[in-house]
Amino acid sequence: MAQDAGAAPRTRTQTRNRAAILEAGLEVFSEKGFRGATLEEIARRARLSKPNLLYYYPSKEAVHLALLENLLDAWLAPLVALDPAGDPVEEVLLYLRRKLALSRDYPRESRLFAGEILRGAPHLGPVLGGRLATLVADKAAVLRGWMDQGRLARLPPEHLIFSIWALTQHYADFDVQVRAVLGAGRDPYAEAGPFLETLFRRLLAP
Amino acid sequence: MAQDAGAAPRTRTQTRNRAAILEAGLEVFSEKGFRGATLEEIARRARLSKPNLLYYYPSKEAVHLALLENLLDAWLAPLVALDPAGDPVEEVLLYLRRKLALSRDYPRESRLFAGEILRGAPHLGPVLGGRLATLVADKAAVLRGWMDQGRLARLPPEHLIFSIWALTQHYADFDVQVRAVLGAGRDPYAEAGPFLETLFRRLLAP
DNA sequence: CGTGCCTTTGACCATCCGGTCAAATCGCGC
DNA sequence: GCGCGATTTGACCGGATGGTCAAAGGCACG
């Protein structure tokens, strides 16, 4: 039996197949959304039969949920890494760069996330008001401290964080639109990097 | 017969029912996405039977398409209104305010749009590389002209436009997340307005 | 080589859902 | 109040899809 999705895989086969399912699920869910994705297609991409997939994850939702949960840590890591002991402007810029790198290197994850939030966060709703809200409150306090010390321009810290999310994730989530507007032969991320760096340097200077 | 979705409605009944269908479709599509929406639910919200809905629009896609097309003009209007004869910084800020107002007053439209783009723009793909790209190229030229005259900070104009899209639409598309982070009792838009205004004033000053 | 568990699968089921159709009903112009 | 097109609907269809099940296959270990 391998039905318990939460348990650690025991055999090599389990490890390999679960990984293949998650990879395939990420591909399909991020492209088609939860409703648009089919178990058939996920199974095919994972080179498994549909019942075989259901042997590893008990339902479509279980795969989706596993992906979102796995994602969360990686997604929040850059914000967690914001160091209260560092230089204020440089720390925020570091966060910006890390977040933009996530959009560039993991656009599927970004879109999976965006789809979930866009639909009202039916699966990770509680996490938003819980872990996420706590983390943001924590880091907002750090930012506010820096502002109080005059080392960072005074701004509503939560909205400063939102602006970093919005500006970086836009390039992953709205990729088609960005590329359609820029035309072929241009590298969105290569241009976005310096632009966003300028934007935040001007915004954050005390 | 009323099958031609493109034709202007002739009777009062047509006008009323088509409007009801579009309103219901907007509600359901923006909340559940194209695949997640069902004709049954759209029909119910429009107080029509399913076959009756199909009498006015020949398919689910036709309703979706009609919504996107109706939307496009309203969505692009603020950018169209960017006046080459106006004051550079004030014109951009005006655009920002108009766009934020759209997010505040028409969040369902914003989410409908976001969903379409997120899934790779299967329906209005051609529009992106056509009308949208042309419009942006046009206004980017205006911005560049202002920059050349030293009346606006030198920045990649397309990315400047992207940043306005990203920052304003974020508040509509990721509404649940924003509210979860801010907590109840706070008005996201009331806080976002001044913040974004500050952000762009600092960014755009020559 | 045999036993027992892990893994895989073909066949199948129930449900949902977009769309059709023929018939009923409505309501406007005469 | 009649005729006729516009509108509405119950019943139905076919395909897609999430999920089940019992049986078969593979593999490690005695």
Side-chain angles (χ1 to χ4, degrees), chain A residues 154-171:
Chain A
R154 178 157 302 282
L155 297 161
E158 295 93 347
H159 291 269
L160 174 55
I161 292 172
F162 291 158
S163 70
I164 294 174
W165 291 349
L167 288 167
T168 55
Q169 291 172 9
H170 184 84
Y171 287 93

Side-chain angles (χ1 to χ4, degrees), chain A residues 30 119 159 171 191 202-203, chain B residues 30 159 171 191 202-203:
Chain A
S30 70
R119 298 301 162 231
H159 291 269
Y171 287 93
E191 300 178 14
R202 292 194 189 161
L203 176 64
Chain B
S30 70
H159 291 267
Y171 287 92
E191 300 177 14
R202 292 196 188 157
L203 176 65

